[in-house]
Amino acid sequence: MKATNIQQIISNDLVGSTILVKAWVRTHRQGKSVSFISLNDGSTINNIQVVAEGDFSEELLNRVTTGACIAVTGEVVESQGQGQKVEIKAQGIEILGDCDADAYPIQPKKHSMEFLREKAHLRFRTNTFGAIFRIRHQLTFAVHQFFHEKGFYNIHTPIITASDAEGAGETFKVTNLDLNNVPKKEDGSVDYDQDFFAKEANLTVSGQLEGELAAMALGKIYTFGPTFRAENSNTTRHLAEFWMIEPEVAFADLDDNMDLAEEMLRHLCSDILKNCADDLAFLNQRLINEDKSKKAADRQTMTLIEKLQFVADNPFKRLTYTEAIDILRNSKPNKKKKFKYIIDGWGADLQSEHERYLVEKEFNCPVILTDYPKDIKAFYMKMGEDGKTVRAMDILFPGIGEIIGGAQREEDYDKLVKRMEEMDVPKEDLWWYLETRKFGTAPHSGFGLGFERMVLFVTGMQNIRDVIPFPRTPQNAEF
């Protein structure tokens, strides 16, 4: 008999059917003549109850412990208990995998997030992480669906590259040199000619530059892949390995770019509301329960579901960096020096506290900031007519801060070369990027969405390490 997953059993009218279910034991209450076994197979946040009475040996039932994997054959019947429509009347039970009940760390009780990060190989089995990773899957599917339906092509850009897209230098080096006997040149520098690629190479920080090349022929492309940053930041918002979604669109200006990004974010929120109702309901209630222990001033003004619905239904607020600076400079937190980074004037690089103030206090909705000072943005962004700003845009979300960063790209060869020289970006390493400005250049735009930050938003989690299966952070590469 082929196994039926629990989601199918709960969703369909299978009363009277004999089925086989294979799953992990969440709880087992054993009475004198009947046992109640709660099972979950990962297909849904909901468990199904198995009622075992009659001819089951005590030895067998004693092996049905929390964490054990079992196969149950039985009849689907209407449930006599509350909170469930159906249950399974067991006819046969087989132990697929025993679990040492004394050593198993994921017991049916509340565990801290810190503890579960140490048990990342098992945390998928909790309700919270089961919900998170089902939602992460749905978001992945929704991203591909969105771009496919809009006529974009998915491009796989290199994970190993010789360029640093941001020019920040925070890259992980890739080499096959013997680190105990590194070849050196006469001047004492590393002889990369003897390395695998015969040059310095690193893990990519972005697929953008290569994505632009494809957009100059295919028109509309997007990348969705892993990126890496060797930034020594032990915060709730940073990872060393994370996933980025980066569309690049030919013949698109900054307004087109903002429209696309806003449409995508609203689509993703709508999709999760539609397709992840049970998991969202669980996470929503989890946050409501957590809020009860907080001071009134620290409580959320909207529930998780209300927040997603608000983003899905309402246009984002758009304003320039200059307008934002004026608001922040005159804000109470700035005047009373409550901000960690005080805004003195134009040109300041906005921090997360400033971004969240604009979103959560000033406008109470997602915000798109445009036209940043050129000195705090990357070399490839198109210069504004004022000569001081670039045609950049950042989208700011409540609880997150920046979730998307993007810009209209500089398509003029001479202007791009000048910016690279000003910012000490080596032209010889990016000769191929510059050539696209010589051979049929065109206006184009793009942006990057940090996927984990999007998962963070839609799940309501507080730490980015809890929305990726195995987080990579400074001094941590476990699992």
Side-chain angles (χ1 to χ4, degrees):
M1 184 185 299
K2 187 176 180 179
T4 304
N5 69 45
I6 292 172
Q7 175 63 28
Q8 292 174 313
I9 297 170
I10 292 172
S11 301
N12 299 303
D13 184 11
L14 297 180
V15 173
S17 302
T18 299
I19 55 92
L20 167 65
V21 62
K22 297 178 180 180
W24 291 269
V25 177
R26 286 292 177 86
T27 61
H28 179 194
R29 289 186 293 116
Q30 197 168 348
K32 289 184 178 180
S33 59
V34 62
S35 285
F36 299 96
I37 306 165
S38 183
L39 295 181
N40 190 283
D41 64 358
S43 63
T44 171
I45 198 164
N46 299 302
N47 301 330
I48 195 160
Q49 179 171 273
V50 173
V51 180
E53 54 184 336
D55 192 23
F56 293 100
S57 70
E58 183 177 351
E59 179 186 2
L60 174 69
L61 293 175
N62 285 341
R63 294 171 64 191
V64 181
T65 60
T66 297
C69 186
I70 68 173
V72 176
T73 306
E75 181 185 358
V76 180
V77 298
E78 292 183 0
S79 178
Q80 302 301 309
Q82 293 184 339
Q84 56 196 12
K85 293 183 179 179
V86 295
E87 58 191 22
I88 299 171
K89 187 176 181 181
Q91 298 166 349
I93 297 175
E94 178 186 358
I95 307 295
L96 300 179
D98 286 293
C99 182
D100 184 341
D102 295 328
Y104 184 57
I106 311 298
Q107 293 298 321
K109 64 179 183 178
K110 186 174 182 178
H111 298 287
S112 71
M113 292 295 106
E114 292 80 4
F115 173 80
L116 290 172
R117 280 178 219 131
E118 295 172 359
K119 309 295 181 185
H121 59 306
L122 297 171
R123 67 177 181 170
F124 298 99
R125 300 190 190 188
T126 66
N127 282 336
T128 298
F129 286 95
I132 289 168
F133 292 116
R134 280 187 294 269
I135 287 175
R136 184 181 171 113
H137 159 77
Q138 184 60 39
L139 269 177
T140 301
F141 179 79
V143 166
H144 288 296
Q145 183 183 47
F146 173 80
F147 285 116
H148 178 72
E149 291 178 354
K150 296 188 76 67
F152 281 68
Y153 299 104
N154 181 225
I155 299 295
H156 295 153
T157 52
I159 290 175
I160 299 174
T161 177
S163 69
D164 177 1
E166 298 294 331
E170 296 166 337
T171 60
F172 288 101
K173 303 300 182 186
V174 175
T175 181
N176 75 334
L177 294 176
D178 180 358
L179 297 184
N180 293 314
N181 187 26
V182 177
K184 300 287 185 69
K185 296 181 179 179
E186 290 184 2
D187 63 2
S189 62
V190 176
D191 185 3
Y192 283 104
D193 289 339
Q194 298 187 46
D195 206 349
F196 187 88
F197 296 107
K199 62 169 62 177
E200 288 190 66
N202 51 265
L203 297 178
T204 185
V205 299
S206 169
Q208 175 203 318
L209 301 187
E210 293 88 351
E212 286 187 51
L213 313 183
M216 289 296 97
L218 299 174
K220 297 190 293 186
I221 69 92
Y222 72 103
T223 75
F224 192 162
T227 51
F228 309 84
R229 188 159 294 169
E231 182 179 359
N232 191 19
S233 295
N234 251 316
T235 77
T236 59
R237 296 289 182 270
H238 289 88
L239 292 166
E241 178 185 62
F242 51 99
W243 289 70
M244 288 288 291
I245 298 150
E246 298 176 292
E248 292 292 330
V249 187
F251 319 117
D253 61 16
L254 186 65
D255 289 328
D256 299 322
N257 206 29
M258 288 189 287
D259 291 343
L260 177 67
E262 179 173 342
E263 184 183 358
M264 182 190 71
L265 290 171
R266 293 173 65 180
H267 168 81
L268 295 180
C269 289
S270 295
D271 187 273
I272 294 303
L273 285 164
K274 177 182 177 182
N275 294 303
C276 298
D278 287 348
D279 288 322
L280 266 186
F282 170 81
L283 293 173
N284 189 67
Q285 189 58 52
R286 176 181 176 275
L287 288 176
I288 290 172
N289 293 340
E290 284 188 354
D291 249 13
K292 291 176 182 177
S293 62
K294 296 179 181 178
K295 296 178 182 178
D298 296 330
R299 291 174 186 167
Q300 300 292 322
T301 56
M302 288 188 283
T303 67
L304 176 61
I305 291 174
E306 289 170 343
K307 188 168 62 174
L308 293 177
Q309 197 69 62
F310 184 83
V311 171
D313 293 345
N314 293 283
F316 297 178
K317 176 69 178 179
R318 300 184 182 189
L319 68 158
T320 65
Y321 165 90
T322 301
E323 292 169 326
I325 284 291
D326 288 340
I327 292 169
L328 291 166
R329 190 170 50 207
N330 295 310
S331 67
K332 286 183 179 180
N334 199 61
K335 289 181 176 179
K336 294 183 178 181
K337 301 190 184 303
K338 298 287 188 181
F339 284 144
K340 182 179 179 181
Y341 299 93
I342 302 301
I343 299 293
D344 292 322
W346 198 89
D349 197 354
L350 300 186
Q351 305 296 320
S352 180
E353 60 180 343
H354 307 133
E355 295 167 342
R356 291 185 62 178
Y357 176 84
L358 292 169
V359 172
E360 297 167 25
K361 303 298 183 183
E362 182 68 22
F363 296 110
N364 198 32
C365 70
V367 170
I368 307 181
L369 293 186
T370 66
D371 301 291
Y372 282 79
K374 67 177 183 178
D375 293 337
I376 61 173
K377 288 297 183 179
F379 73 93
Y380 49 74
M381 297 185 177
K382 186 174 180 62
M383 188 72 70
E385 293 181 0
D386 58 9
K388 297 191 306 179
T389 61
V390 287
R391 301 293 283 156
M393 67 98 175
D394 287 346
I395 299 184
L396 317 178
F397 260 28
I400 303 294
E402 180 192 335
I403 196 167
I404 276 181
Q408 185 171 342
R409 315 310 189 189
E410 182 57 76
E411 80 274 12
D412 184 281
Y413 178 85
D414 292 330
K415 291 180 180 179
L416 184 58
V417 168
K418 183 180 178 181
R419 284 294 287 152
M420 292 174 76
E421 290 173 345
E422 289 174 353
M423 301 183 72
D424 295 322
V425 177
K427 299 189 294 294
E428 59 275 12
D429 291 344
L430 293 175
W431 62 269
W432 44 271
Y433 186 70
L434 284 167
E435 280 200 353
T436 60
R437 273 65 176 175
K438 294 168 64 177
F439 304 145
T441 189
H444 60 290
S445 298
F447 62 81
L449 167 65
F451 186 57
E452 280 72 29
R453 292 196 176 192
M454 189 65 199
V455 183
L456 206 63
F457 179 73
V458 300
T459 60
M461 299 303 291
Q462 300 300 306
N463 194 316
I464 203 163
R465 302 175 195 201
D466 297 328
V467 296
I468 191 168
F470 305 104
R472 297 293 180 250
T473 54
Q475 300 185 14
N476 176 40
E478 196 65 74
F479 307 105

